[in-house]
Amino acid sequence: MPRKAPLLLLAATALLSTAAFAQAPTSVKIGVLNDQSGVYADFGGKWSLEAARLAVEEMKPQLGDMKVEIVSADHQNKPDIASTIARQWFDVDGVDMITELTTSSVALAVQDIARDKKKINMVVGAATARLTGDACSPTGFHWAFDTRALAVGTGAEVVKDGGDTWFFLTADYAFGHQLEKDTTEIVVQSGGKVLGSVRHPLNTADFSSFLLQAQASRAKIVGLANAGLDTNNAIKQAAEFGLVQSGQRLAGMLVTLAEVHGLGLKAAQGLVLTEGFYWDRDDRSRAFAKRFFDRTGRMPNMIHAGTYSTVMTYLKAVKAAGSKDAETVAKTIRDTPVDDDFAKGKVLANGRFVHDMYLFQVKAPAESKAPWDYYKLLRTIPGDKAFFTVEESGCKRAS
């Protein structure tokens, strides 16, 4: 009997090892869901898809035999379309994680579905801080930026520079409302006043009536609580109305390299903005940007670099956990510091990735020395100053 015990122990160990091996994932499917044809097509769009593919290619040597498939779809900035796609992906197509999720109303809807179905979602292109606040999820993450970080960066700096009266031009959906709210709080805390606001439909072509109201307010700062082509169109039409020439200033609350490139330096020069990534910030960002440029012909903004980071982070977590179980992977993500070509930082219990943000000013044409040389750094905003703590966020369901 004593001689059989070791044999039984060896057999049991072998069975356990075999079971553990059998449970290790052999394939992973990731969905990139965003706006690929509308107002945010350059903001994220097909370029985010390319960033996700680049991440998979660069992770392959670490994944062994694990097969990774990327699928993508255009949600057209409509929560109902996004929800239908997400359910199809999770229930029928075997998608394990959805990322990018430009447009806050879309991201909130998909995060609810992912939570109910015990799947991972990693938001990059949506801004609302509610994603890690009252709408937080144990399996949901928010990566590149949020409305709080934009407000702390651009809002506080503009007031500090004398822009102490504001009027908001706000996109009329969850993102715009939250960005206006968060920036208002920062402006008031910094000693400024908000004189009013007006809301415009998403993807509007005519800003004339909204700009007239902004002009009539006589606020020193017209805060553009919108993004993508809406921001570009508002800036172009503001120039036609002579807002800046009459003494008012524009503050783009969510402007990225993609929008500056679309506007050109002549139109965008002098804009103060906040991003979580700039391609020319250091050697590491330049090396990543070159790899991205070689496959796309353009430099990445924080949405593209952030999508690269979410895919890398997710795949590393699946490998480390030896599982695709959403709660197991989510815990691994929260427990593991992030250090990649997008940013360094930590993931809080509510899913908020905390990393440094950067306040930039757009260069004048004469200051730019090469293509895509658009920004000068004004200051670095430490992550713990830019983002809410878990306690401040209002998240009650993170764990």
Side-chain angles (χ1 to χ4, degrees):
M1 189 72 178
R3 297 182 62 180
K4 289 183 180 179
L7 293 174
L8 290 171
L9 181 60
L10 284 171
T13 302
L15 284 170
L16 285 171
S17 298
T18 302
F21 179 78
Q23 290 170 3
T26 57
S27 65
V28 170
K29 187 178 283 192
I30 296 170
V32 176
L33 183 57
N34 62 5
D35 175 7
Q36 298 177 11
S37 59
V39 66
Y40 301 134
D42 276 350
F43 181 79
K46 63 183 180 181
W47 316 115
S48 291
L49 177 58
E50 287 303 317
R53 288 171 173 161
L54 178 61
V56 171
E57 290 171 15
E58 295 184 357
M59 275 295 293
K60 274 184 180 178
Q62 301 178 45
L63 298 177
D65 295 331
M66 185 188 298
K67 179 184 176 184
V68 181
E69 182 181 354
I70 298 282
V71 296
S72 72
D74 183 352
H75 60 48
Q76 301 174 48
N77 296 307
K78 297 177 180 177
D80 56 338
I81 292 176
S83 296
T84 299
I85 293 168
R87 289 192 177 94
Q88 169 77 22
W89 278 359
F90 287 147
D91 293 342
V92 180
D93 299 337
V95 168
D96 301 295
M97 186 272 276
I98 296 178
T99 190
E100 224 276 45
L101 293 168
T102 304
T103 312
S104 292
S105 52
V106 162
L108 289 165
V110 172
Q111 180 154 291
D112 280 347
I113 294 167
R115 179 177 56 243
D116 292 345
K117 295 184 179 297
K118 298 190 184 306
K119 297 283 189 174
I120 298 283
N121 71 283
M122 302 183 75
V123 178
V124 183
T128 179
R130 289 190 58 213
L131 287 158
T132 50
D134 67 293
C136 67
S137 163
T139 57
F141 298 89
H142 200 183
W143 220 249
F145 68 104
D146 65 18
T147 50
R148 160 73 176 194
L150 299 176
V152 169
T154 307
E157 184 65 22
V158 169
V159 174
K160 180 181 174 183
D161 194 37
D164 56 4
T165 57
W166 285 62
F167 185 93
F168 285 100
L169 219 65
T170 301
D172 193 11
Y173 75 103
F175 149 67
H177 303 169
Q178 189 70 44
L179 184 52
E180 180 187 327
K181 176 180 179 293
D182 288 350
T183 308
T184 295
E185 290 175 1
I186 294 297
V187 166
V188 172
Q189 288 172 17
S190 302
K193 292 181 180 180
V194 174
L195 304 184
S197 67
V198 62
R199 292 177 174 178
H200 67 80
L202 179 66
N203 200 17
T204 187
D206 184 4
F207 280 87
S208 56
S209 65
F210 310 118
L211 288 166
L212 284 171
Q213 293 179 62
Q215 201 168 36
S217 75
R218 299 190 179 182
K220 294 178 183 177
I221 304 299
V222 178
L224 304 177
N226 49 23
L229 287 179
D230 281 340
T231 299
N232 284 17
N233 288 334
I235 291 172
K236 289 175 182 176
Q237 291 176 40
E240 295 169 8
F241 275 82
L243 256 73
V244 175
Q245 293 89 329
S246 66
Q248 290 180 298
R249 293 163 56 196
L250 300 176
M253 300 310 302
L254 177 48
V255 178
T256 75
L257 195 73
E259 289 73 61
V260 173
H261 184 68
L263 282 165
L265 289 182
K266 185 177 180 181
Q269 62 182 309
L271 271 175
V272 175
L273 57 94
T274 303
E275 281 215 59
F277 175 88
Y278 180 47
W279 72 269
D280 199 21
R281 193 177 65 83
D282 57 25
D283 289 343
R284 191 171 185 180
S285 62
R286 283 187 284 271
F288 167 73
K290 183 181 185 305
R291 301 196 306 275
F292 185 85
F293 186 90
D294 286 346
R295 68 189 293 144
T296 64
R298 64 188 292 129
M299 289 301 184
N301 65 8
M302 66 176 168
I303 314 305
H304 312 138
T307 302
Y308 170 90
S309 178
T310 58
V311 173
M312 292 282 281
T313 299
Y314 177 73
L315 292 175
K316 288 176 182 177
V318 169
K319 183 176 183 292
S323 171
K324 294 193 296 184
D325 174 74
E327 292 179 354
T328 302
V329 173
K331 184 178 187 307
T332 303
I333 292 172
R334 290 193 297 267
D335 290 348
T336 308
V338 176
D339 184 355
D340 60 29
D341 292 343
F342 168 63
K344 292 175 63 174
K346 61 185 178 182
V347 182
L348 303 182
N350 61 354
R352 175 68 259 171
F353 176 31
V354 173
H355 54 85
D356 290 348
M357 298 290 290
Y358 306 97
L359 187 74
F360 297 107
Q361 187 169 37
V362 178
K363 292 181 175 181
E367 297 175 295
S368 179
K369 305 304 181 187
W372 297 93
D373 175 26
Y374 294 161
Y375 291 171
K376 50 187 175 185
L377 178 65
L378 297 181
R379 67 183 174 94
T380 298
I381 307 160
D384 59 359
K385 296 278 197 294
F387 298 102
F388 287 123
T389 65
V390 175
E391 293 73 23
E392 290 171 334
S393 73
C395 175
K396 306 296 184 186
R397 297 179 288 184
S399 58

